[in-house]
Structures are given as structure tokens and as C-alpha cells.
Amino acid sequence: EPSSRQPRLAPTVLRAIRMLLEPAAVALDNAMQLKRAEALSVTDDLTRLYNSRYMNQVLRRETKRASRSGRPMSLLFIDMDGFKQVNDVHGHLCGSKALVEAAGLIRGCARETDVVARFGGDEFSLILPDTGREGAVSVATRIRERVAEHLFLKTDGLTVRLTASVGVATLPDVAGSAEELIRAADKAMYKVKGAGKNGIHVAEEEEG
């Protein structure tokens, strides 16, 4: 009659099977962990946009590419006006939610080829490859309008209004390197902040 007992594999066979399977399992596990670690190292925890470290890497790479090909490239710096007040009045949790909403709006204005990052705090940046001044201004305008129209924190029963100050800098017009481009976009953004916020300023050569 058939045996009711489970067939038992000899320890040596078991060991051999384990030795065959383990490296594959370990390699797969390592690959998954690496992918997860890489994703975490380039993305911002809160907004799931890229972080400033990754943005700097891409910017350096794209600047070199643009210089070689002679194609333009633009960078936008976006600061959320009035954001500090959201934190002060409604608390940090609401502030975080508002930032996530802002990130979604900004991502929605970008194209497939653009790189959207949270630069830090309530500042965002967009790298626009193969994009001259005009194209960059139209993306900046779309972002400024969408942010101004949006009612933030509706799901929390609030209707918070925010605006955006956007600095635009284009290579090779006002910069020849990634560092110069960042400085120009940052300076342009602060010009908007100084002039009453909720606007766009394009970096010009003489401002350098």
C-alpha cells in the first residue's frame, strides 16, 4: 500500500538544493533592496518628487549635454508664498499635506522629459531639457496660475490659498554651468519675492 509518510530527502540532497537556490534568492533580495535604497536616495520622502541631491546630478549631466549639442536648457525655481503661515496657523501636518498637493500641481504642469524636484522646505525646482526661454516661461506661467487657482486642504475642511514665486534661468543665455544656472534661477526667484510675490522673473544677463 502507498506510504502515508512524506518522502524525506536525504540531508545531502537538501543541502545541494539549498546551495543552488540560495544565491539566486540572495541576489534577488539584494537587487530589490538596492532598488529600494536607490529610490529612497533620489526621492524626497514627503512629496515623492526627486530630491535636491538627484536634481544636482541631473542638472550637471544635462548642462554638459546641452553645451555639447548647442541646445538650450532651462531651470525653474519655485517658492510657495505664504506657506509659513499654513504651518503657523494650521500646524505642521496640514503644512505637509499642502506641500504634497503643491508637488502634485507642479508635477502636473511638467512634461515627461522634465525633472521635478523638491529643492528643500517649500521650494521646488524643474529642469527643462531642450527648452529655451519662451518654453520655460510658459511652463512657469502654467505653474503660477494652477497654484493660484487651487484651494489647498479641502479634504481637511479648509480652503487655503497659496501663490508661487517662480524664477526662470536659461542656458546658454545667462549661464554656462550648472552652478551658474542655479544661482541665476535662485536670484530670479528672490526678485519675485522682493517685488510682492506671486509672479515670474526671468534671469537676464546684466543681472549676473
Side-chain angles (χ1 to χ4, degrees), residues 75-79 81 133-146 163-169 185 187-193 195-204 207:
L75 176 67
L76 306 186
F77 263 20
I78 303 143
D79 188 88
D81 308 320
R133 177 181 169 146
E134 258 180 63
V137 169
S138 73
V139 175
T141 303
R142 198 155 63 233
I143 289 169
R144 195 197 67 75
E145 286 171 356
R146 290 240 185 119
T163 56
S165 295
V166 189
V168 179
K187 206 181 250 185
M189 184 188 77
Y190 277 102
K191 280 209 180 260
V192 182
K193 301 291 273 183
K197 306 174 180 176
N198 188 21
I200 296 160
H201 184 80
V202 181
E204 306 288 349
E207 290 171 353

Side-chain angles (χ1 to χ4, degrees), residues 3 5-9:
S3 166
R5 285 190 314 148
Q6 288 285 341
R8 290 192 57 182
L9 290 170

Side-chain angles (χ1 to χ4, degrees), residues 42 120 174:
V42 300
V174 296

Side-chain angles (χ1 to χ4, degrees), residues 73-101:
M73 180 186 112
S74 294
L75 176 67
L76 306 186
F77 263 20
I78 303 143
D79 188 88
M80 301 303 292
D81 308 320
F83 178 75
K84 190 182 176 298
Q85 220 174 344
V86 178
N87 271 344
D88 293 347
V89 176
H90 303 292
H92 285 278
L93 191 61
C94 282
S96 294
K97 284 181 180 176
L99 274 182
V100 171
E101 285 182 44

Side-chain angles (χ1 to χ4, degrees), residues 35 108 125 144-145 147 160 170 176 185:
K35 216 168 171 54
S125 58
R144 195 197 67 75
E145 286 171 356
V147 170
V160 171
T170 301

Side-chain angles (χ1 to χ4, degrees), residues 30-199:
N30 285 350
M32 284 172 80
Q33 280 180 357
L34 187 67
K35 216 168 171 54
R36 218 171 291 137
E38 278 173 356
L40 287 174
S41 71
V42 300
T43 52
D44 168 60
D45 283 351
L46 178 67
T47 60
R48 295 283 173 254
L49 296 178
Y50 289 115
N51 59 25
S52 58
R53 192 172 126 225
Y54 182 71
M55 189 217 93
N56 283 321
Q57 281 175 19
V58 173
L59 195 61
R60 275 198 297 275
R61 191 180 69 216
E62 287 299 325
T63 304
K64 283 183 189 137
R65 202 171 69 88
S67 301
R68 273 200 310 269
S69 67
R71 303 274 300 151
M73 180 186 112
S74 294
L75 176 67
L76 306 186
F77 263 20
I78 303 143
D79 188 88
M80 301 303 292
D81 308 320
F83 178 75
K84 190 182 176 298
Q85 220 174 344
V86 178
N87 271 344
D88 293 347
V89 176
H90 303 292
H92 285 278
L93 191 61
C94 282
S96 294
K97 284 181 180 176
L99 274 182
V100 171
E101 285 182 44
L105 288 174
I106 294 166
R107 195 196 279 112
C109 294
R111 303 155 304 182
E112 287 269 309
T113 49
D114 301 335
V115 176
V116 190
R118 182 185 178 196
F119 199 67
D122 57 348
E123 275 186 32
F124 298 91
S125 58
L126 256 83
I127 299 170
L128 312 172
D130 296 323
T131 306
R133 177 181 169 146
E134 258 180 63
V137 169
S138 73
V139 175
T141 303
R142 198 155 63 233
I143 289 169
R144 195 197 67 75
E145 286 171 356
R146 290 240 185 119
V147 170
E149 287 163 6
H150 187 74
L151 290 174
F152 287 84
L153 302 168
K154 266 195 346 192
T155 52
D156 290 76
L158 302 166
T159 48
V160 171
R161 292 273 192 188
L162 292 172
T163 56
S165 295
V166 189
V168 179
T170 301
L171 182 126
D173 303 6
V174 296
S177 70
E179 287 75 20
E180 284 173 15
L181 201 60
I182 286 177
R183 267 202 300 276
D186 193 46
K187 206 181 250 185
M189 184 188 77
Y190 277 102
K191 280 209 180 260
V192 182
K193 301 291 273 183
K197 306 174 180 176
N198 188 21

